[in-house]
Amino acid sequence: MENNQVNKKRVFSAIQPSGMLTLGNYLGALKNWTAIQNDDRFDCLYAVADLHAITVRQEPAKLREQIRSTFALLIAIGLDPDRSPIFLQSHVPYHAQLAWLLNCYTQFGELSRMTQFKDKSAKHADNINAGLFTYPTLMAADILLYQSDLVPIGQDQKQHLELARNIAERFNALYSPTFVVPDPYIPKIGARVMSLQDPCKKMSKSDENVNAWVAILDKPEDIMRKFKRAVTDSEARVVYGDGKDGINNLMSIYSAVTGMTMEQIAAEFDGKGYGDFKTAVGEAVVEQLRPVRERYESIIKEKDYLEQLYKQGAETANRIAAKTFFKAMKKIGYVLP
């Protein structure tokens, strides 16, 4: 893993330990992580982005539990630590160290234009801290440390990846090639999962309406209840089209879980009501998530095993990251230790 293998592209991705991960996280990102890992064209690193979590206030005991839980869930979805290092971001100090260096090559105007900073500032008006402003530079450090060729991203992360590219190009132009300039990787499979109660907005665990989102670890009966209460329309026809946001969302979820096209789904439910369709979607999601939940429930109890895995992952990540960090230090003109 320490050097890119011939003809292999390095892929880096991370997820914050911000509580319960949702069906949207799973279908939009995590399910793809296992597919990318099992593709021989790529060599992958995955992380729990725990340094990013403290831009908003956290309860220490709860944060500690969420970090462990998120790490266990990455194993439960099928990531293989022997094939792809999986680690806790805070266990690789070079993330924070490189972020400081890169802060000095990031313009104030670039950070002030970040839409997520504006959104989070509005949500947390009593705690608009410097970390909230500069965390896109930490994200750039996350990516550039591993000389990542590709970064799987959703629509809401495009701006951050563009910043990482700009910083890499700026640094390379000043000091000669140092960082790989990363490209976005948009997987062929995946779905943008919307709220079950307001299908015009993205599914989010921060939604106050618990029926609006499904957690990966929800019990089957809770998943079924939420899908049966999902917002639809009055037409009662399972077809994808304009003005049918609720049905479009359910069809997208069903498609992502079953692999069926929209045309095949419409044909399967031709002449059937929304009740039948909601039940079918709920049952398909339950079966998709069942092995993940069962494996998670088993692995979360194995604290020593989990500790062994994240130490193993951090050891590999530190070796790779150190090479990039000290290369950047040398280019700037520091006296190396």
Side-chain angles (χ1 to χ4, degrees), residues 205-223:
K205 57 186 170 291
S206 62
D207 198 313
E208 293 180 2
N209 186 342
V210 295
N211 291 311
W213 55 279
V214 171
I216 296 174
L217 300 176
D218 269 351
K219 295 176 182 177
E221 57 270 28
D222 293 329
I223 294 173

Side-chain angles (χ1 to χ4, degrees), residues 42-323:
F42 306 121
D43 112 48
C44 307
L45 294 101
Y46 296 115
V48 176
D50 50 350
L51 292 178
H52 286 283
I54 63 167
T55 57
V56 296
R57 292 285 176 261
Q58 301 284 348
E59 183 184 323
K62 188 176 179 183
L63 175 62
R64 195 173 297 115
E65 184 56 40
Q66 286 175 181
I67 292 169
R68 290 190 180 122
S69 174
T70 303
F71 186 87
L73 192 55
L74 294 185
I75 307 299
I77 65 169
L79 293 184
D80 180 358
D82 292 326
R83 185 164 184 166
S84 309
I86 309 166
F87 59 96
L88 306 183
Q89 180 192 27
S90 60
H91 288 190
V92 182
Y94 301 110
H95 285 261
Q97 289 177 279
L98 184 61
W100 168 250
L101 298 187
L102 297 185
N103 267 328
C104 300
Y105 296 88
T106 307
Q107 299 303 303
F108 184 90
E110 290 175 313
L111 292 175
S112 63
R113 287 192 293 273
M114 294 287 124
T115 55
Q116 285 204 10
F117 171 69
K118 296 172 185 175
D119 293 343
K120 288 193 174 185
S121 296
K123 283 184 181 178
H124 305 279
D126 59 337
N127 182 29
I128 305 174
N129 57 72
L132 192 63
F133 186 66
T134 63
Y135 85 93
T137 308
L138 174 58
M139 192 178 293
D142 299 339
I143 296 164
L144 300 181
L145 260 181
Y146 300 102
Q147 304 293 3
S148 308
D149 297 291
L150 298 168
V151 183
I153 58 166
Q155 188 69 33
D156 56 348
Q157 295 297 336
K158 282 186 176 180
Q159 197 180 28
H160 291 147
L161 183 61
E162 193 58 40
L163 178 66
R165 288 174 54 84
N166 291 345
I167 295 170
E169 288 169 346
R170 183 175 299 139
F171 196 99
N172 290 350
L174 282 167
Y175 298 109
S176 78
T178 306
F179 300 113
V180 170
V181 179
D183 287 317
Y185 178 68
I186 312 297
K188 291 179 182 177
I189 58 171
R192 182 172 167 81
V193 180
M194 312 304 282
S195 163
L196 297 181
Q197 293 298 309
D198 181 0
C200 292
K201 67 181 185 181
K202 192 175 175 183
M203 180 180 284
S204 171
K205 57 186 170 291
S206 62
D207 198 313
E208 293 180 2
N209 186 342
V210 295
N211 291 311
W213 55 279
V214 171
I216 296 174
L217 300 176
D218 269 351
K219 295 176 182 177
E221 57 270 28
D222 293 329
I223 294 173
M224 291 303 301
R225 186 189 71 251
K226 290 176 182 181
F227 274 104
K228 286 180 178 178
R229 293 179 178 177
V231 167
T232 52
D233 56 65
S234 59
E235 192 180 7
R237 286 181 65 236
V238 180
V239 290
Y240 198 93
D242 293 337
K244 295 177 68 66
D245 296 325
I247 285 298
N248 292 349
N249 185 37
L250 294 178
M251 290 180 76
S252 295
I253 293 169
Y254 196 61
S255 173
V257 171
T258 65
M260 296 173 68
T261 65
M262 297 303 175
E263 292 76 14
Q264 289 170 330
I265 296 170
E268 180 183 348
F269 291 93
D270 185 31
K272 297 180 181 178
Y274 285 166
D276 290 337
F277 182 51
K278 289 181 182 180
T279 298
V281 178
E283 288 174 347
V285 169
V286 165
E287 291 312 309
Q288 176 93 167
L289 297 180
R290 187 187 302 279
V292 176
R293 191 184 71 255
E294 290 175 352
R295 181 154 165 70
Y296 172 85
E297 289 173 353
S298 171
I299 202 171
I300 193 65
K301 299 171 187 173
E302 306 292 333
K303 290 189 176 180
D304 291 344
Y305 176 60
L306 287 173
E307 184 176 341
Q308 175 191 331
L309 291 182
Y310 60 65
K311 283 184 175 179
Q312 172 187 313
E315 187 177 320
T316 304
N318 269 298
R319 283 200 302 269
I320 301 169
K323 292 180 180 180

